[in-house]
Amino acid sequence: MERLRSSPLHANISTALDKLLESIHVVQACRKDEIVSASSRQRHGPPRCQDERVVLALAAALRALCLATRKVRTVLWCAFQMTLPK
């Protein structure tokens, strides 16, 4: 879009994209923790409190990812509108 516009886009656009990427990485890490927790629970026994914390962390990470996705969609739509010829 910057090439089409022949000028750099607003800094908020790259910031929103960076936050989305960070949110994706956090969700991936939480999901890995959940998988490890579930596999260790099958071997030993259910430590419930630990599992609940892992699931709640994943839920919080997914909520942050949802918010970041909404913001990026809006920001990219605005950037697209700015690149269209008038």
Side-chain angles (χ1 to χ4, degrees):
M1 283 189 239
E2 290 176 337
R3 288 185 196 151
L4 292 173
R5 206 168 160 225
S6 301
S7 65
L9 295 172
H10 198 272
N12 288 345
I13 294 170
S14 61
T15 303
L17 289 169
D18 290 340
K19 286 184 181 182
L20 177 68
L21 185 61
E22 180 183 336
S23 296
I24 290 170
H25 290 305
V26 170
V27 169
Q28 287 175 338
C30 288
R31 182 67 177 125
K32 286 179 186 177
D33 291 344
E34 182 192 22
I35 291 170
V36 168
S37 176
S39 66
S40 67
R41 182 181 59 210
Q42 288 178 351
R43 291 184 195 143
H44 301 296
R48 294 270 311 168
C49 188
Q50 184 75 10
D51 290 341
E52 290 176 3
R53 278 189 243 140
V54 171
V55 171
L56 289 175
L58 179 61
L62 285 172
R63 183 175 189 273
L65 178 63
C66 180
L67 294 174
T69 303
R70 285 184 198 163
K71 185 163 186 147
V72 164
R73 283 177 34 202
T74 303
V75 164
L76 288 177
W77 182 83
C78 291
F80 174 69
Q81 293 298 316
M82 290 189 309
T83 58
L84 291 176
K86 294 183 181 187

